[in-house]
Amino acid sequence: MNIAICDDESLFRETLITYLRAYSLNKRQNNNCFEFSDGQALIESEIDFDIVFIDYLMGSLNGIDTISLLRKKGLDAYVI
């Protein structure tokens, strides 16, 4: 499972990755976490994500606009 974590705060990204890795080990799942510090970097990614964790308040491109653009590109993922 490919998981995107998009937030402009590195502490949040690091904390969420720690929790997701612990969950993956506990459930014996193979999850790949990818970090993005802004929406533009996430949009430019060519990875097919299953889940996207995204902050809605970020720099010039907020989370809602980022997801809208990703949906137009065909993203079919759960968004949190």
Side-chain angles (χ1 to χ4, degrees), residues 41-61:
L42 177 57
I43 290 169
E44 293 172 359
S45 171
E46 296 296 324
I47 300 167
D48 187 24
F49 294 107
D50 301 295
I51 301 173
V52 176
F53 290 90
I54 189 164
D55 184 9
Y56 69 95
L57 289 175
M58 293 185 290
S60 61
L61 186 61

Side-chain angles (χ1 to χ4, degrees), residues 1 4 11 16 20 26 32 44 50-51 53-54 62 65 68-70:
M1 181 178 308
L11 180 60
L16 185 54
L20 290 170
N26 186 36
N32 302 307
E44 293 172 359
D50 301 295
I51 301 173
F53 290 90
I54 189 164
N62 68 41
D65 292 340
S68 178
L69 292 169
L70 286 170

